[in-house]
Amino acid sequence: MQSPMSIGSSAGRFPHNVQDETILEPSTNEELKELWKVVNGWRVSASEGRTFCLKMVSHAEEPIHVLSSSTQPFYTLKIIPTSTSGQLTLTRQDPSKTPTSASSSPKIRAPFLNAVTTKDKDKEKDTEVLSTTLEEYVRRLPPNDGLVALLYPRSASTMALNVASNPTRGDALSIIAAAERECARLVFDSDSSKYYLVHPALNHPFVVSISSSPAWSRVEYTLEHPELPRNVVKLTRDGAGMGWLEVDTSVAAKIDAHYVVDVAVTAVMLVCVEDEKSRNVERFDAPPPSLPPTSPRFSLPPLGSPRGKSKKDKKRERGGDQEYQDGGIRDGFRKSGKP
């Protein structure tokens, strides 16, 4: 396997006109049923593959990031800080099993609310697809190897562990080799200040290209590879904590790995989180909707309004006004010399 630097600096450049592509609308649950098959190991042909779009929402106070359809979560990435670094977990939710929580509204914050406030009977629908311990930051600095995280899909690691517990199987070695072929390494190269995803199924590593557009408050994270016709994953983030992640399954089908989509999505999202952390990007929740005006039938009368006064007060005011008017008239007569 070649060094990440062997692919040259051209792989880090953003492809021509990629910034001008139109952002897709989030895929529906019905459409994501096809993506669900792919991420579970089903291989599609180039003609069957397509691009899926997931909406990304990040919590303002907790390290939780949700990729959702137009109505419910699909991926949920959680990073739990530890004393040295952090523990990353990626889960998936089957789009054919709609959550029964009351928060399954397609509003902006609904995907996050679904993922966080899910009831116990909904939690069993979440499938943990990848879990790893993030390396300490010092490992990215020379003379260390730059490892950020080891991305081992849960399905592949479970398969290897099951075979290891039964070494008498004749195909044990081939199964373990196939499982290890799914494990990738996310590394940081301090010389180029770039992140690389080293995958055993490819001769050269991916490079995570970061392209920012200050005028539009937008940053794009693209997983590029010189041997692939298009990008497998691209994440676009805006300044409001929202984003869109695009997955091309026709390109993923060209890679000899069953769970490469889970690995690619995890790598790009992790680079996004690390990049925003280094740039001190702050996230804020949207303000709550303003309360509707109170019905006029039950609204309090304004200060000084006759409606809020008793009949006695009204009569007293009318009497005072009359006295004031009579007094003013009498004063006017005195000044004019009239009796």
Side-chain angles (χ1 to χ4, degrees), residues 29-48:
N29 277 3
E30 192 65 29
E31 293 170 336
L32 290 183
K33 290 178 182 179
E34 299 179 28
L35 180 59
W36 179 261
K37 295 179 182 178
V38 174
V39 296
N40 279 282
W42 184 58
R43 303 295 295 273
V44 298
S45 62
S47 59
E48 294 174 324

Side-chain angles (χ1 to χ4, degrees), residues 316-330:
R316 186 182 298 113
E317 286 186 358
R318 285 197 297 269
D321 292 343
Q322 186 65 38
E323 290 177 0
Y324 175 80
Q325 293 176 4
D326 294 344
I329 294 173
R330 286 195 297 269

Side-chain angles (χ1 to χ4, degrees), residues 45-61:
S45 62
S47 59
E48 294 174 324
R50 53 164 296 181
T51 299
F52 298 90
C53 181
L54 299 169
K55 180 172 63 177
M56 181 175 178
V57 179
S58 298
H59 190 256
E61 299 178 356

Side-chain angles (χ1 to χ4, degrees), residues 171-188:
D171 57 351
L173 294 179
S174 61
I175 293 178
I176 293 177
E180 292 179 347
R181 192 176 178 82
E182 302 285 344
C183 180
R185 295 183 295 117
L186 181 65
V187 298
F188 178 78

Side-chain angles (χ1 to χ4, degrees), residues 301-309:
L303 294 177
S305 171
R307 184 177 180 180
K309 300 179 181 179

Side-chain angles (χ1 to χ4, degrees), residues 131-197:
S131 180
T132 187
T133 300
L134 304 181
E135 298 295 327
E136 297 183 37
Y137 181 80
V138 68
R139 189 163 180 178
R140 306 180 193 182
L141 306 176
N144 298 312
D145 59 357
L147 182 64
V148 177
L150 191 66
L151 306 181
Y152 207 157
R154 174 57 59 92
S155 297
S157 61
T158 301
M159 180 173 58
L161 290 174
N162 291 338
V163 173
S165 62
N166 186 17
T168 58
R169 290 186 52 168
D171 57 351
L173 294 179
S174 61
I175 293 178
I176 293 177
E180 292 179 347
R181 192 176 178 82
E182 302 285 344
C183 180
R185 295 183 295 117
L186 181 65
V187 298
F188 178 78
D189 182 71
S190 58
D191 293 334
S192 62
S193 298
K194 295 182 183 298
Y195 290 90
Y196 294 87
L197 180 64

